[in-house]
Amino acid sequence: MLEISVFTWAVTISLVIALLAIDLILAAVRPHKVGFGEATTWSVVYILVAIGFGVWFAWQYGGQFGTEYFAGYIVEKSLSVDNLFVFVIIMTTFAVPEEHQHKVLTFGIVLALIMRAIFIALGATLLSLFSFMFLIFGLLLVFTAVQLFRHRNEDPDVENNIMVRTARRLFPTTDTYVGGRLFTKVDGKRLATPLFVVLLAIGSVDLLFALDSIPAVFGVTEQPYIVFTANAFALLGLRALYFLVKGLLDRLVYLSTGLALILAFIGVKLMLHWAHVDIDERVPEISTAVSLTVIIGVLVVVTVASLLKTRRDPTAKAHAGSLRAHREDSD
């Protein structure tokens, strides 16, 4: 097992909080449209921070754990790109002004980190107590992969999101954004603004992604510290990555298919691990190095195939994928 001191945990969490604080301060103090140059700079900074941490981590704790970190980081980074699709859909659906998108994304990332921290603690506890949880996690990922592949050419139905519909029933909402506020008073009545509904939509999406991403990263490492850092560094760069690539997301037409393959692969890996531990040691396992190779290979093939497809057919458009058919499609 990987032994991480309380001091190292504290320094790591402090680093994550400091980076989040910078984003929050920038979003609150200077609301503005994030340009390509600014987005590029921050994207490079966050990637370099993640790589630098991985290099230090491998040097400090060994190549095996370092490989697990980078494998987990790449898995979470690839899943976070699908997050971006949904964020773009939410921003478009609710017509979020560009000067407020920075704030929405930063709060969304904070919510995602909190939810993932909770699921990491629960997941690590369950795995340490019950080895059959590897089978449960594996089946969950395979089911998710099948659903994502079936509905790969659809987008999540944001308007019918249960939290969005509940919020609109419980809180009367203004028609316009009110200076980036979540609530305001009109004729003495306290009303929610569309920004409040947007944050609820992003929070519920974060919850769904956490349910998938945590079992996925536990498929490449069982170490809670690696799971946390891989998630944290992948999510910290999400805000800048959104503004950098949102114009290019439509070209990744095979991304949902690729993510479905990755989730299915990791699901099978978890089930093989369970069978190896609980049934027969002769059942083969998939190593972290093989997992890393497969994940990178799938992402490279998906990206190249997508770009070739959109070059031949400019009308082809990417979709985030959905875990279920839209309500009107299922009637």
Side-chain angles (χ1 to χ4, degrees), residues 22 34 88-90 115 132-133 145 157 183 198 220 249 284 292:
I22 292 173
V34 178
V88 169
I89 293 167
I90 291 174
M115 291 178 185
F132 72 85
M133 288 304 301
D157 192 356
F183 294 92
V198 169
V220 295
L249 286 175
L292 183 59

Side-chain angles (χ1 to χ4, degrees), residues 224-283:
Y225 182 78
I226 297 177
V227 174
F228 173 77
T229 52
N231 269 276
F233 287 118
L235 287 173
L236 283 173
L238 195 60
R239 190 270 312 172
L241 190 62
Y242 169 86
F243 292 105
L244 180 63
V245 305
K246 67 177 181 177
L248 302 176
L249 286 175
D250 282 348
R251 301 184 65 188
L252 298 177
V253 294
Y254 296 125
L255 178 63
S256 293
T257 301
L259 292 179
L261 291 174
I262 290 173
L263 291 176
F265 170 78
I266 298 176
V268 171
K269 181 180 187 295
L270 284 169
M271 289 188 285
L272 286 175
H273 177 72
W274 166 78
H276 177 84
V277 172
D278 281 8
I279 297 179
D280 194 328
E281 291 185 355
R282 291 173 295 181
V283 175

Side-chain angles (χ1 to χ4, degrees), residues 38 110 125 140 158 165 273 324:
E38 181 182 348
V110 171
T125 301
L140 173 63
V158 176
R165 287 189 283 116
H273 177 72
R324 62 185 180 89

Side-chain angles (χ1 to χ4, degrees), residues 35-85:
F36 181 81
E38 181 182 348
T40 301
T41 300
W42 279 106
S43 294
V44 171
V45 167
Y46 280 122
I47 290 173
L48 289 178
V49 168
I51 293 174
F53 172 84
V55 171
W56 167 82
F57 185 69
W59 171 75
Q60 187 73 22
Y61 295 97
Q64 173 62 28
F65 289 130
T67 302
E68 290 182 11
Y69 163 77
F70 280 111
Y73 175 74
I74 291 172
V75 168
E76 293 304 317
K77 201 68 175 177
S78 61
L79 290 172
S80 72
V81 174
D82 207 37
N83 262 45
L84 292 182
F85 270 108

Side-chain angles (χ1 to χ4, degrees), residues 75-278:
V75 168
E76 293 304 317
K77 201 68 175 177
S78 61
L79 290 172
S80 72
V81 174
D82 207 37
N83 262 45
L84 292 182
F85 270 108
V86 183
F87 285 172
V88 169
I89 293 167
I90 291 174
M91 299 290 190
T92 303
T93 300
F94 294 99
V96 179
E98 290 188 336
E99 64 268 25
H100 299 317
Q101 291 183 9
H102 186 297
K103 180 185 294 185
V104 170
L105 287 167
T106 303
F107 275 105
I109 292 168
V110 171
L111 288 173
L113 279 171
I114 292 172
M115 291 178 185
R116 279 162 168 75
I118 294 171
F119 280 111
I120 288 168
L122 289 175
T125 301
L126 290 172
L127 289 175
S128 65
L129 294 176
F130 311 106
S131 59
F132 72 85
M133 288 304 301
F134 286 104
L135 174 62
I136 302 299
F137 281 2
L139 290 172
L140 173 63
L141 290 180
V142 171
F143 172 77
T144 301
V146 171
Q147 290 295 98
L148 184 60
F149 183 79
R150 288 180 59 200
H151 306 297
R152 62 191 179 279
N153 294 322
E154 300 178 31
D155 290 317
D157 192 356
V158 176
E159 288 288 353
N160 283 320
N161 180 293
I162 186 171
M163 290 189 69
V164 171
R165 287 189 283 116
T166 301
R168 282 177 168 164
R169 284 199 303 267
L170 296 178
F171 303 100
T173 306
T174 61
D175 295 328
T176 60
Y177 289 87
V178 186
R181 297 178 184 175
L182 299 181
F183 294 92
T184 189
K185 282 190 175 182
V186 178
D187 297 330
K189 294 182 179 180
R190 189 172 180 81
L191 302 178
T193 71
L195 191 61
F196 174 73
V197 180
V198 169
L199 289 180
L200 284 180
I202 284 186
S204 60
V205 166
D206 285 337
L207 176 62
L208 291 176
F209 274 101
L211 287 171
D212 294 330
S213 66
I214 297 305
V217 74
F218 270 118
V220 295
T221 180
E222 299 176 35
Q223 310 301 327
Y225 182 78
I226 297 177
V227 174
F228 173 77
T229 52
N231 269 276
F233 287 118
L235 287 173
L236 283 173
L238 195 60
R239 190 270 312 172
L241 190 62
Y242 169 86
F243 292 105
L244 180 63
V245 305
K246 67 177 181 177
L248 302 176
L249 286 175
D250 282 348
R251 301 184 65 188
L252 298 177
V253 294
Y254 296 125
L255 178 63
S256 293
T257 301
L259 292 179
L261 291 174
I262 290 173
L263 291 176
F265 170 78
I266 298 176
V268 171
K269 181 180 187 295
L270 284 169
M271 289 188 285
L272 286 175
H273 177 72
W274 166 78
H276 177 84
V277 172
D278 281 8

